[in-house]
Structures are given as structure tokens and as C-alpha cells.
Amino acid sequence: METQTLSVPAAIRARRTTRHFRPEPLASELIDELLDLAVQAPSAWNMQDRSIVVVTSESGRQALSKAAFGQPQPLEAPVVLVFVADPTAWQDSNADIAELAGRNGAWNAEFAAMFHSRNEFQSLRERGLLRENAVKNAMIAATYVMLAATSLGLSSAPMNGWDPDLVKQAIGIGDRDDLAIAVLVAVGYSDATPPHPGRRPREQAVFTEQYPVSLCAPTLPAPAGN
């Protein structure tokens, strides 16, 4: 399906977080297009250690609204995408990932051997960063979805205020302590065009070579002696 109406730069500039949605269903073709674009998102070592649970049923969206402390987006939006991060995905063989990359000419034998060694993931485990790594990868996919939605004339709302245990229960993984919820994204048609809240000037957020000393955390004075 090729229905893109906005370029990537235009979608970035046009995207807004929608608080309320019209009660209008999404065509299955649009949902398929969003998901096809979402799974194109990159991940560390192409591990693809993130999944998307598509929730469209009224009961499922009600459960997600409850998990989100009563926020209305899951109730109003026809689709809610739950991004699940899997910090343990690297422990599987994942042979299909390396085989496909090799057939496509993306990885040579040396790179594939590095992938199979899992050295980087061993290091992440030692530093307690496996969950953080998987959540980062899931968030990249969620960003793809939000920009793709805007380009297709849809609206979205990233949601980060929810009880992870209740979200897991809502999507049938209440017993999976090994998985993490990264973010919820409600998708549909906005009931209005939200105004842009504005952003600080680029000079306040983009720096050359090093982070400015003036923005570093201040050094606390040493406690007075007794």
C-alpha cells in the first residue's frame, strides 16, 4: 500500500500528540502499512528484540485505559499499539537474522561471527543494561509508527503513564517478568488539530563536540565537619 501523503521532514514538523480521538475506525490497510513500517525500525545488532501488540477490541482498550489510570486515549482511539521489549531475545539462536543478512549481502562472515558470539550482549548483562537496551530499540520502533501515522494522515499519542503489571495483564503476559513494556501508542483520527507547544531554540539543545560545562550538574558543597 502506497498512500504516503507527507515526506519524512514534513511528518516530523506536522506530528502532534493527540489527546482526544474521533470514534472512527481505521482501515485494515492503514494498520497493515503502519505495522510494516514499524518493523523496519533498526535495533542493536538487528536483534529485533521488540514486539508490538495491536489492541483494537473494546475490552482490550478499556483494560489499557484502566492500566493508564483512566486516561481517555485508549478508549477513544480505535487502535492502541503496545510496544514490548524483550531483554532476553539475544539468548535465542536467532539464526534466521544472520542468514537473511548474509543472503542480502548486508553481513559478511566476520560480522555474522560477531553476532553469534553475543559479546556485546554479555557486556550489557554484566552492566545490568539489557532491559535498557531492549526498551531503546522498542522506542525507536514507536517513533517510526508516530511519524508514519502522521505521513498517512493519522494522529497518535505516545503514552508513558501506566501500571506495567496491568498493561501486561491486558495483553496476556501478566506472568512474563522477563518482558518489559516500553510505551503505548494510541492511533486514530484526532478530533481537532492540536497547536504546536513550541520547542526551545536549537542552540539550547545541540552542542558541538562536548556538553557545555554551564549545563553540567553543580557540585554540591562538602558537608561541614563536626
Side-chain angles (χ1 to χ4, degrees):
M1 177 181 177
E2 296 292 339
T3 60
Q4 185 167 353
T5 58
L6 293 178
S7 66
V8 173
I12 290 173
R13 291 186 170 94
R15 189 213 63 81
R16 301 288 182 272
T17 295
T18 295
R19 305 300 180 189
H20 296 283
F21 294 84
R22 304 200 307 263
E24 185 175 338
L26 297 188
S28 59
E29 294 83 2
L30 279 176
I31 298 174
D32 287 342
E33 179 76 348
L34 280 178
L35 298 174
D36 285 344
L37 293 171
V39 298
Q40 291 298 317
S43 56
W45 286 96
N46 199 29
M47 189 58 70
Q48 301 166 64
D49 47 356
R50 69 291 186 271
S51 302
I52 305 170
V53 178
V54 184
V55 180
T56 59
S57 68
E58 183 175 355
S59 60
R61 291 183 290 109
Q62 286 178 346
L64 289 177
S65 176
K66 179 180 178 181
F69 311 114
Q71 293 186 67
Q73 295 95 319
L75 295 176
E76 297 179 0
V79 178
V80 182
L81 305 178
V82 182
F83 289 79
V84 181
D86 184 358
T88 68
W90 65 282
Q91 297 176 356
D92 298 330
S93 73
N94 297 299
D96 61 311
I97 294 175
E99 290 172 2
L100 181 58
R103 289 201 305 270
N104 289 342
W107 291 3
N108 58 24
E110 180 182 3
F111 196 90
M114 293 171 62
F115 171 81
H116 288 303
S117 75
R118 302 292 197 275
N119 286 338
E120 183 171 333
F121 290 93
Q122 297 283 1
S123 175
L124 288 170
R125 179 171 62 178
E126 292 171 1
R127 292 179 288 152
L129 296 177
L130 285 171
R131 183 185 184 281
E132 178 179 324
N133 179 73
V135 168
K136 286 177 182 177
N137 292 329
M139 293 301 297
I140 294 172
T143 300
Y144 267 49
V145 160
M146 289 185 285
L147 294 180
T150 301
S151 77
L152 295 170
L154 302 173
S155 300
S156 62
M159 301 179 63
N160 196 33
W162 28 260
D163 182 316
D165 292 330
L166 292 180
V167 173
K168 286 184 177 183
Q169 291 176 21
I171 60 173
I173 56 171
D175 59 343
R176 295 292 302 274
D177 293 337
D178 55 318
L179 300 176
I181 304 300
V183 69
L184 278 60
V185 179
V187 181
Y189 295 100
S190 178
D191 70 341
T193 302
H196 197 309
R199 299 290 188 267
R200 288 174 171 170
R202 191 181 72 180
E203 292 74 17
Q204 290 184 244
V206 180
F207 311 109
T208 302
E209 300 295 346
Q210 293 188 345
Y211 194 79
V213 175
S214 60
L215 295 180
C216 291
T219 302
L220 298 176
N226 294 328

